[in-house]
Amino acid sequence: MRDIHFRVKQKTFKGKTLAPLSQSRFKIVFLLLCCGLGGLLFRIGWLQLFQSDQLRALAREVQTEQKKPLGTRRSILDRNGKLIAIDERRFKVWAHPRYFKFPGDSSWKVRKPFEVAKLLSVSLSQSDDEILKKLGNYSSGVKLAEGVTPEKAETIRRLGISGIDLEVYPQRLYPHGSLFANVVGFLDLDRRPQAGLELSLDKDLKRQEKTSVIRRGADGTPLPVGIQPGVFDEDQLSLQLTLDVRLQEVAVKEISKQVKKWNAKKGAVIVMNIDSGELLALASTPTYNPNKYWDYSPSLFKEWSVQELFEPGSTFKPINLALALEEGVISNNGKVNDDGLVTVGGWPLSNWDRKPNGIITFPEVLQVSSNVGMVKIMNKMNAGNYWQWLRRLGIDEIPATDLPGAVGGQIKSKQTFVNQPIEPAVASFGQGFSITPLKLAQLHALIANGGRLVTPHITKGLKGDYESYFNTPSEPEQVLSPEVTKTVLGWMETVVSFYDESGIEVNVPGYRIGGKTGTAQKSQDGLNYNSKICSFVASLPIDDPRYVVLAVIDEPQKSNAYGSTVALPVAKKIIETLLVIEKIPPSITKKELLATKS
């Protein structure tokens, strides 16, 4: 093969002589390119073979958005779905002055605090000076406000100020203020439950929230990769109560007005469904505003009708008469001699007015609230059997209820009760032992529903738009025979008629209502009875019993304070409201009522 030689003429360019590149330089450049390409291939191979898992994890970390749950709680509703407690989104506003910039500012420009304060003052409802004072000389991490509503937070976000951050958090709100405070309770500023259902049902009220993990593309679009089933599902269940906002409002208003009128220590109202044990109203006063709980004494953070004891007095007489009938020591048409005074174990016991009533029937015993008559009636029952009946009624047991902090009552030991005749004697008219107002309502429901001991409760269950889980109450125990309770209920109806004739209005025209007042002496030290606790309990309607209404007022200070003057007017107003709300038809038509009066 012939060698081909190229001859290149030498040329000059602006005084410089151009010469061909040497072959060695080409070789050096070629080797450098080969080394670079080889190094690149080696690097790619190294990353693919040895660092692929690590790089994949880093990529996933950048692409993946993880949303942690806020820790919200379920809403609380009344029986008709009205909100009692709710979690709402609120925002904290944080400032970082060293990063202050407005939209369109260059990267090197930092805005002055007074410029930012001027823009934020309207949205935060604060003056420029207030904001500047908070910013001070801090360069970062200054909290300007909290409790900011979503609407105001959106206004601040639209300003587009760099260095202003919005931190979302849930805040517990109670729309009705103090109306349900003693029952529902509250959360403190750290969202820790402190009282009421918020505390006792803390686990049930926490929403079942999941940590959401979503992958996004470079432009932020969610990718349908690695999404776990149910990641977008939300817990929308709410805790529904048996309470009725409308009835609760009336109960709180009336009991508060009466406590103020009589300068009393406190008062409570209970409205119970006698068949299911559901409470439609559970109100007490004094109370507090759970939205501003820090302004009130911790002694108010409880429902005293469930957590404190009292001697029921004459409101327990119908219960005792039912026990006497059940034991067969008295008959339906029997009578007793009330001579105004009876001595038991050396102790003189008299009627509340210290007057004799003569020979009276058992309905009349309730009408005139005869203590002497009750002592003689219950004296016919064996003391040991009497004590066993009180135990069977659960006097000293903690009731099986969902109400927070419920306590059991107190009775004397069997030995004391049997060996000291004064104990069953005073127990016959509701003293010498103590129960809660809730227990008294439960026992009167027992009389009204045919002798079944239902469980008082205020939670219906969990309610949602697509699914609900309601509680199923256990079958109540049959304690007394229906015949006995029907008889006593009829006797209680005569009491209401008796009060009407006495000028104390309690009945509602057209409705048959039974009731009993109580004015129990109260001791602070167990020895001196120097104050009172007044109560009234009603069952209605007598022809088809459905509800028990109980009003209790503790330590009224004015004269002429009795169950009929202090507690009865409260129950009357509540009964009138209850009849309307529950649409209970009258027992007697208007025509029949006019005929009766004529």
Side-chain angles (χ1 to χ4, degrees):
M1 181 180 292
R2 295 175 58 191
D3 294 334
I4 300 176
H5 298 279
F6 295 92
R7 294 179 176 272
V8 181
K9 294 182 179 180
Q10 293 183 350
K11 294 182 179 181
T12 59
F13 182 75
K14 292 184 180 182
K16 293 185 179 180
T17 302
L18 297 178
L21 295 174
S22 66
Q23 295 294 325
S24 59
R25 294 181 67 181
F26 274 115
K27 292 178 180 180
I28 292 172
V29 172
F30 178 74
L31 288 173
L32 289 174
L33 291 174
C34 288
C35 289
L37 182 60
L40 182 61
L41 293 173
F42 177 79
R43 180 60 177 168
I44 292 173
W46 179 268
L47 294 176
Q48 289 285 346
L49 296 175
F50 299 101
Q51 290 189 296
S52 59
D53 294 339
Q54 180 181 353
L55 294 174
R56 187 180 296 108
L58 289 173
R60 294 289 180 265
E61 184 177 345
V62 174
Q63 298 168 353
T64 302
E65 177 185 359
Q66 188 177 56
K67 292 184 177 180
K68 295 183 179 180
L70 289 177
T72 57
R73 296 171 74 83
R74 292 182 171 125
S75 300
I76 301 178
L77 314 174
D78 86 330
R79 66 189 297 110
N80 299 309
K82 293 184 179 180
L83 281 169
I84 294 176
I86 185 175
D87 265 1
E88 289 193 353
R89 291 164 64 89
R90 291 292 184 267
F91 293 83
K92 295 179 182 178
V93 181
W94 296 91
H96 309 280
R98 62 182 177 182
Y99 300 121
F100 281 166
K101 286 183 178 61
F102 294 164
D105 286 348
S106 60
S107 58
W108 53 267
K109 188 171 185 178
V110 177
R111 293 285 181 170
K112 299 295 183 182
F114 74 87
E115 297 178 282
V116 175
K118 187 175 181 180
L119 285 180
L120 291 177
S121 60
V122 175
S123 299
L124 295 181
S125 301
Q126 300 178 21
S127 66
D128 298 3
D129 292 338
E130 288 177 315
I131 296 175
L132 288 173
K133 186 177 180 180
K134 291 179 180 179
L135 291 172
N137 296 321
Y138 298 103
S139 61
S140 185
V142 181
K143 184 168 70 174
L144 296 181
E146 61 181 323
V148 176
T149 63
E151 293 76 18
K152 287 191 175 183
E154 183 60 27
T155 302
I156 295 171
R157 187 180 286 111
R158 288 175 182 173
L159 295 175
I161 304 173
S162 296
I164 296 296
D165 291 338
L166 295 169
E167 178 189 352
V168 63
Y169 68 95
Q171 179 172 314
R172 198 64 161 174
L173 297 177
Y174 304 92
H176 295 280
S178 61
L179 194 62
F180 295 95
N182 299 75
V183 179
V184 174
F186 65 94
L187 304 183
D188 65 13
L189 295 178
D190 295 319
R191 291 184 61 79
R192 292 175 300 191
Q194 298 297 317
L197 293 178
E198 294 280 24
L199 178 60
S200 63
L201 299 181
D202 182 39
K203 292 183 179 179
D204 295 325
L205 286 170
K206 290 180 179 178
R207 291 198 185 277
Q208 296 180 3
E209 297 176 306
K210 300 177 182 178
T211 299
S212 303
V213 179
I214 302 175
R215 288 189 199 167
R216 297 185 181 275
D219 60 350
T221 304
L223 302 176
V225 180
I227 297 180
Q228 298 296 322
V231 70
F232 295 110
D233 294 345
E234 294 185 11
D235 180 359
Q236 295 296 335
L237 294 174
S238 299
L239 179 68
Q240 188 171 33
L241 305 184
T242 63
L243 302 176
D244 191 309
V245 168
R246 299 166 297 177
L247 195 61
Q248 185 82 359
E249 286 177 342
V250 175
V252 170
K253 176 184 176 182
E254 294 301 324
I255 194 68
S256 300
K257 182 170 66 176
Q258 201 73 343
V259 165
K260 183 179 180 180
K261 176 181 177 180
W262 289 89
N263 194 25
K265 182 179 180 182
K266 55 183 180 286
V269 168
I270 297 175
V271 180
M272 179 190 292
N273 183 307
I274 64 168
D275 292 317
S276 65
E278 291 184 352
L279 300 182
L280 279 69
L282 182 62
S284 63
T285 187
T287 184
Y288 64 99
N289 186 348
N291 296 307
K292 298 180 179 180
Y293 65 89
W294 50 84
D295 291 335
Y296 300 85
S297 168
S299 63
L300 299 177
F301 300 162
K302 64 179 180 179
E303 175 53 56
W304 78 273
S305 64
V306 179
Q307 297 174 305
E308 289 190 19
L309 304 176
F310 80 115
E311 295 183 21
S314 295
T315 51
F316 202 82
K317 288 175 180 176
I319 313 298
N320 279 326
L321 287 177
L323 298 182
L325 278 172
E326 192 73 32
E327 278 287 290
V329 297
I330 62 172
S331 60
N332 294 4
N333 54 0
K335 296 181 180 181
V336 64
N337 182 22
D338 176 5
D339 47 14
L341 181 68
V342 62
T343 302
V344 179
W347 294 84
L349 301 175
S350 64
N351 292 325
W352 63 275
D353 57 1
R354 303 183 184 279
K355 296 178 181 179
N357 293 293
I359 299 176
I360 54 177
T361 63
F362 300 137
E364 290 173 329
V365 169
L366 293 180
Q367 292 169 20
V368 299
S369 200
S370 170
N371 291 343
V372 173
M374 286 303 305
V375 172
K376 291 185 176 182
I377 290 170
M378 299 311 291
N379 189 47
K380 297 179 180 181
M381 185 187 298
N382 177 273
N385 292 344
Y386 186 14
W387 186 86
Q388 289 292 352
W389 269 112
L390 293 178
R391 288 295 308 278
R392 187 176 177 186
L393 293 176
I395 296 297
D396 60 343
E397 295 178 358
I398 298 175
T401 179
D402 55 4
L403 289 163
V407 299
Q410 295 178 350
I411 58 174
K412 301 294 172 48
S413 67
K414 184 174 183 179
Q415 182 178 2
T416 302
F417 196 87
V418 171
N419 294 332
Q420 297 186 16
I422 189 61
E423 295 300 337
V426 295
S428 70
F429 50 85
Q431 300 217 220
F433 66 94
S434 56
I435 56 176
T436 62
L438 178 70
K439 185 64 182 180
L440 181 60
Q442 182 193 33
L443 294 178
H444 273 274
L446 172 97
I447 298 297
N449 67 23
R452 295 176 293 113
L453 197 62
V454 296
T455 300
H457 62 279
I458 59 171
T459 57
K460 290 181 72 73
L462 298 176
K463 177 180 173 57
D465 293 334
Y466 306 105
E467 56 181 350
S468 299
Y469 306 92
F470 292 116
N471 301 327
T472 303
S474 58
E475 188 66 25
E477 178 188 358
Q478 187 75 39
V479 178
L480 299 174
S481 61
E483 297 77 15
V484 165
T485 57
K486 185 177 181 180
T487 298
V488 175
L489 200 60
W491 294 350
M492 291 177 65
E493 184 180 12
T494 68
V495 175
V496 172
S497 302
F498 175 79
Y499 280 132
D500 281 344
E501 293 172 1
S502 303
I504 304 173
E505 184 182 357
V506 62
N507 215 340
V508 179
Y511 290 90
R512 296 175 59 190
I513 299 172
K516 185 68 187 80
T517 57
T519 308
Q521 298 299 314
K522 183 179 177 183
S523 173
Q524 302 291 348
D525 55 9
L527 298 174
N528 300 306
Y529 287 81
N530 49 16
S531 58
K532 297 178 180 179
I533 185 162
C534 302
S535 56
F536 177 77
V537 60
S539 301
L540 67 146
I542 293 298
D543 51 316
D544 183 21
R546 292 175 60 184
Y547 300 104
V548 162
V549 177
L550 172 65
V552 183
I553 295 182
D554 188 24
E555 296 187 23
Q557 299 300 311
K558 297 182 180 180
S559 60
N560 196 36
Y562 300 101
S564 57
T565 56
V566 179
L568 188 148
V570 176
K572 171 72 183 302
K573 291 289 187 181
I574 295 169
I575 289 171
E576 291 174 339
T577 305
L578 178 64
L579 293 173
V580 174
I581 288 176
E582 295 301 311
K583 300 178 182 178
I584 300 175
S587 306
I588 305 173
T589 65
K590 187 175 182 180
K591 184 177 181 180
E592 291 173 333
L593 185 63
L594 291 174
T596 303
K597 289 184 177 180
S598 62

